[in-house]
Structures are given as C-alpha cells and as structure tokens.
Amino acid sequence: MGMERGNHVPATAGFRSRRGTQGFVIRDTKVRRLNRKWGEVQVPKCGWVRFRWTRPLPEKPGMARVTLDRAGRWHVWFPAPQPALDREPAGAVAGIDRGVRTALVTSDGQHYRAPRISDRQARRYLALQRRMARQRKGSRKREKTRRAMARIQATVTDRRRDWAEKVSTRLVQDHDVIVFEKLNTKDMVKRPKAKPDPEQPGGYLPNRARSKAGLNRGILASCWGTLATRTGQKAAASGAHVIYVDPKHSSQQCRWCGHIAKENRESQAVFQCKGCGRADHADRNAACNVLARGLATMGVPAHAPGHGAHARVRRRPSAGAAGTTPSAA
Ligand SMILES: [Zn+2]
C-alpha cells in the first residue's frame, strides 16, 4: 500500500536503524475512503494523509503501521488475518522443486518462472554499486547512490511480492497438501564460482555477467522465502497443509525405482535413471520425490520403489494463470 510520496509523516522517536526500514505504529486508526484508488489515514500530530488504496481493508482497522522503506517510499499497513481462499478439497497433492533456473516446478508438471532483474536495471545497479565503492562513507553523494540502488531493489521487491501472491494462491487453491523442500536459502545466495569461458580455454566469463547472475540468484532466494511464508499463511487459513521435507538427493533419486546416483542426472534438464532406464524432466522428477517424502510423513504410501507408482495428482484445470508455462516435461 503506497502512501503518496511527499507527504510529511512525522519522524517520531524509536526508529531502530537509520538505514533499514523505519516507521511507527498508529493505534485506534481512523481511515476514510476518498475514491476507488485513494484513501486517507489519520496520523497523530499530522492530520489526514492520503494513501493509495491497493487492497481491501479490514472492517475495523485497529492499528496501522507506517513505514519508510530504503527507497524513500512511505507505506501504511493494516494488519488483518489472512482470509480463507475459495477452494474445494479435492484430494490433490503437489511436491515442489525449487530450481535454480526455472524457479519452481510442481510434481504435476507446472513450471513457474520467478521475476528476474532486467538487463537495463542490472547494468544500472552494478554501475551504481561500483560507484558507491569509490565514494566516501557517510558522504551525501554516497547516500544518493544508495537511494538510487534502493529504488531499483524496490521495483524488484514489488514484482517479487506480486509473484509470490499469485503463485501461493494458485498452489493453495489447487492442492490440499503442498510439500516443500527444507532449504537453507543462504546456500542459494553464495558467491558463484568463476565460470570458465568455453571460447577461451583458461579464461573466465566476464565478471559482469556473473554479477548479474548473482543478483538474480539473490532475487530467486528471496522469492522462495516470500512464497513459502505466504503459501503457509494461505494454507493455514484455507484448510490446506504445507509440509517440509529433507531435500537430500531429491534431484539424484529416481522417482520410479528409488535408485540414487549422480549419473542419473544427465544434464540440468534431463533425468535418466541408470537403474531402470526411465527418463523424465529433471525438475519434475525431483518434485515427485519431494511429494513422495511429504506423503510418507503423513503415512500415505505414495512412493513404492519397484512398483512404478507415484502419487496421482488431480488438478482442476486453470490454464492461463499468471507466471505459468506449459509443462516442458
Ligand atoms: Zn529408476
């Protein structure tokens, strides 16, 4: 919910940090609607402040939190319980593989791509980063550079939140049980190894390409965090379940026979079992393993190595949803 910029919300005491998100809380919030897009909230010692009305508000907003993000944008948040999603339990279950390229593949073969930073934005961001490295700490120019970087981050954050909202709604609406891997997101944002340049033996690909890949990895990792949180909240409010399982070997294990080998993974995209010879899209194979492990914790014998069985998934058709591409499996 973006509060109109340029409004002067008083800077009260109690800010935690000068550089992070700052803000304060309003109790006994008074809100009035001006029109479809705009509303006003009463801020103590300040009066009515306009804000952009971006989603339905609770009937009686008890309190509101006003924050100033690092990009210099004011927001006003009205905490409210997560409303239940409109869904019918149909016995559908899904395992989710968190890919590094495609963000997410479900065991029923849905692919979702996470938002990425555009080439233009990445170039600009990295240039700003280099500029900031040369600027004196605490200088006004450096602060200006930081603000410009934060503004780029803010647009990415907005897209990430939007993505997580849409995908989590889809997941919870379509499934009674959703199984995620327990992943340490810190592992996903580790500094990438230098990539050898295939054209030039002994050489490495330009640092800039790697830096951009690093930015995207960071975005992907935060997408995961937001998605997992929102999926959990929506599931809890809507009668669905989210389960986390150990991801160990989920991408190397055959979902039909259970054979585990590094060699099963023919390439980034193809899984070819050296035990039983069956092949599948690699991410989908992993997602099915994740699902089987989740169901196993519930006592459902979905994965029976040797029987060629895996969980059947029924899904209501809902083509054309945002962020989906047809299965590549
Ligand atoms: Zn196999």
Side-chain angles (χ1 to χ4, degrees), residues 253-259 264 271 273-278:
Q253 184 178 20
C254 173
R255 67 167 158 119
W256 289 283
C257 72
H259 181 65
N264 285 349
F271 184 93
C273 182
K274 298 290 177 258
C276 70
R278 272 178 276 212

Side-chain angles (χ1 to χ4, degrees), residues 7 21 31 111 132-133 139 161 166 177 197 199 209-210 217 219 225 246 259 327 329:
N7 277 322
T21 299
V31 176
H111 290 228
M132 190 154 99
S139 71
R161 287 208 180 115
K166 283 183 178 139
V177 177
D197 187 347
E199 310 265 282
R210 272 166 43 217
R217 235 188 314 276
I219 296 167
D246 185 357
H259 181 65
S327 165

